[in-house]
Amino acid sequence: MHDRDGLLADFALATGINLQREQVARLEDYIRLLQGYNQKVKLTAITAEEEIWRKHVLDSLLIFLALEIPAGARVVDVGTGAGIPGLLLKIYRPDLQVFLVESQHKKITFLEEVIAKLGLRGITYRWSRAEELGRQAGYRESFDLAVARALAGMNTLVEYCLPLIRLGGSMVAYKGPGGAAELKNATRAISILGGRIEKIWRGRLPGGGEERMLITIIKENPTPALYPRRPGMPAKRPLT
């Protein structure tokens, strides 16, 4: 696909992120599965192949410009939906140990199918809410990195993610131009939950120029036992 090849070439030139032929083939397989399944179960509003490449795949990979992810890191993708960004990060960095968390069972069924058909190893999934997982031994404060994209406002998001991260670990929130205002509203919540704003990466999506912001928060202190609150509360009454 010529348009895709041009898009990938431009992306590589701009970012230094080069996709190998076998990675491109796997991503093509993923996109086909996503388009097919999306006709039965709504996973994404973006259905054109080139736009999936641009707005899902390449957007997900921007994280590698925002921070260094150590080899073999344990990564949790909170509210992964169709596996975005977690499954896409795994295809680009097979060394990562990726854990996908999703509360809608129909989406878990899709993830199960994709992981099997793509033959991915070192990636698992769980049908759960983040608030439940964040209180469970074996998951609480056990991940090196938490990622979340298009899930919730920042003051809700930090309550989903920070309880899952180990001390010294990080969370990265994928945001658009409204991210700065969200972050301002979440400053106190971040502090309460043991986090500190580390940095904000700003850039643009290839091919369309949409503004992107990746917010990195480092976990400096243990999350108090009170958090996360019971399911639904972080969204209904965000910490302010």
Side-chain angles (χ1 to χ4, degrees), residues 218-237:
I218 193 164
K219 176 88 166 264
E220 283 194 320
N221 299 298
T223 299
L226 181 63
Y227 304 103
R229 291 167 292 165
R230 61 185 170 79
M233 286 301 287
K236 191 175 179 183
R237 294 187 195 157

Side-chain angles (χ1 to χ4, degrees), residues 70-120:
R74 291 189 76 210
V75 181
V76 58
D77 179 7
V78 178
T80 187
I84 304 166
L87 196 143
L88 304 175
L89 304 186
K90 176 68 180 179
I91 291 173
Y92 179 68
R93 279 278 303 272
D95 63 282
L96 299 176
Q97 298 298 307
V98 176
F99 187 71
L100 307 174
V101 181
E102 175 52 50
S103 64
Q104 293 186 40
H105 196 266
K106 59 189 178 182
K107 294 178 180 177
I108 287 288
T109 306
F110 171 72
L111 297 173
E112 188 174 36
E113 183 180 323
V114 170
I115 290 167
K117 287 189 174 173
L118 298 186
L120 298 175

Side-chain angles (χ1 to χ4, degrees), residues 150-225:
L151 181 62
M154 201 69 199
N155 49 0
T156 297
L157 207 55
V158 291
E159 192 170 349
Y160 291 157
C161 292
L162 283 171
L164 291 165
I165 304 164
R166 64 167 177 80
L167 283 179
S170 303
M171 70 167 278
V172 172
Y174 287 73
K175 292 291 180 181
E182 284 189 34
L183 189 58
K184 194 174 178 182
N185 291 335
T187 305
R188 183 170 170 269
I190 291 165
S191 179
I192 288 170
L193 295 161
R196 173 177 59 79
I197 301 163
E198 168 118 5
K199 59 182 173 179
I200 301 168
W201 179 90
R202 288 180 170 87
R204 292 189 176 274
L205 261 187
E210 295 95 334
E211 192 180 331
R212 286 293 181 262
M213 189 179 289
L214 271 67
I215 299 167
T216 302
I217 295 167
I218 193 164
K219 176 88 166 264
E220 283 194 320
N221 299 298
T223 299

Side-chain angles (χ1 to χ4, degrees), residues 1 3-4 7-8 30-31 34-35 44-60 84 88 149 205-210 212:
M1 189 173 109
D3 289 349
R4 182 211 63 204
L7 188 66
L8 296 184
Y30 166 80
I31 290 169
L34 176 63
Q35 288 173 318
T44 177
I46 300 162
T47 54
E49 186 172 347
E50 189 177 345
E51 286 297 274
I52 293 174
W53 274 102
R54 207 170 67 80
K55 291 186 176 177
H56 286 332
V57 178
L58 301 186
D59 186 34
S60 294
I84 304 166
L88 304 175
R149 183 178 177 271
L205 261 187
E210 295 95 334
R212 286 293 181 262

